[in-house]
Amino acid sequence: MILRNDLVRACDTLLAAAAFKDYTVNGLQVEGRDEVRRVMSGVTACQALLDEAVAWGADLLLVHHGYFWKNEPVPITGIKQQRIRTLLLNDINLLAYHLPLDAHAELGNNAELGRLLGFQVDGCADGELGQGLVWLGGLPQAATPAALARQIGERLGREPLLIEAPGGHAIRRVAWCTGGAQDMITQAWEAGADAFISGEISERTTHLARELGIHYLAAGHHATERYGIQALGAWIAREFGVEHRFVDIDNPA
């Protein structure tokens, strides 16, 4: 067992949450019971995940995508009311980390995705490791765009959307950023990457990839961001002796 405030303080410190200018609140978003014995983690604090937390008897729900996003409606009505009501009625804490979890050098989404895909990390295009969001690295050996797409599909269990650059050049150096990072493709190209991987794709991304001459792979927002939250939950379990369970509410986007 650990006290909620001690757990939150430890996570805030580990992830350097205060150092990030984000689109949401990082840290404790909804306060529940003081003592934490069971932590459930998931990508997004949707109603289906909340219901799983209630059924399991979780004391704290740990997510990457929580609530209170910039420019979202302020009133607590409709779906927002139902979600927050579920947490409050069941005395469950909601702890969320967005950009701090993407960036963390050991437990972050980018770190975990790079490890899963076997990339040899050598830096970031937009800051230091642990602070930057566009990660850079090499492949163990050069690969064709189709071969890299197959590898990603096998490791993530979901086939990525591949936009090949004209000429179909081999991939030796890759850049990646999980989630909705498609507009960072220009930074990846400026850093000398042969290919860029993110979660989502926009209409404009195809044209940018072709005109810049960089291969692009959209591997799924949810699919690329399942791993950091699991790593953070496992860290909490090891450090504080609490029970941890990850629940994957599947999302094709």
Side-chain angles (χ1 to χ4, degrees), residues 73-102:
V74 173
I76 301 176
T77 59
I79 289 173
K80 181 189 284 189
Q81 185 271 355
Q82 178 59 40
R83 291 175 172 179
I84 294 177
R85 184 170 183 266
T86 300
L87 291 165
L88 293 177
L89 283 178
N90 293 280
D91 212 14
I92 299 173
N93 296 282
L94 178 64
L95 186 58
Y97 294 100
H98 186 232
L99 294 184
L101 187 60
D102 289 324

Side-chain angles (χ1 to χ4, degrees), residues 1-35:
M1 184 275 291
I2 182 173
L3 293 176
R4 175 201 58 243
N5 289 347
D6 291 340
L7 189 154
V8 171
R9 190 178 303 112
C11 290
D12 285 351
T13 301
L14 174 73
L15 299 176
F20 288 82
K21 183 179 181 181
D22 210 336
Y23 318 103
T24 185
V25 178
N26 287 297
L28 186 65
Q29 292 192 342
V30 178
E31 185 176 287
R33 59 182 64 99
D34 291 335
E35 296 181 350

Side-chain angles (χ1 to χ4, degrees), residues 98-122:
H98 186 232
L99 294 184
L101 187 60
D102 289 324
H104 193 268
E106 294 296 328
L107 305 177
N109 283 319
N110 285 322
E112 291 294 319
L113 184 64
R115 189 175 295 118
L116 183 66
L117 296 177
F119 298 152
Q120 299 165 343
V121 178
D122 59 27

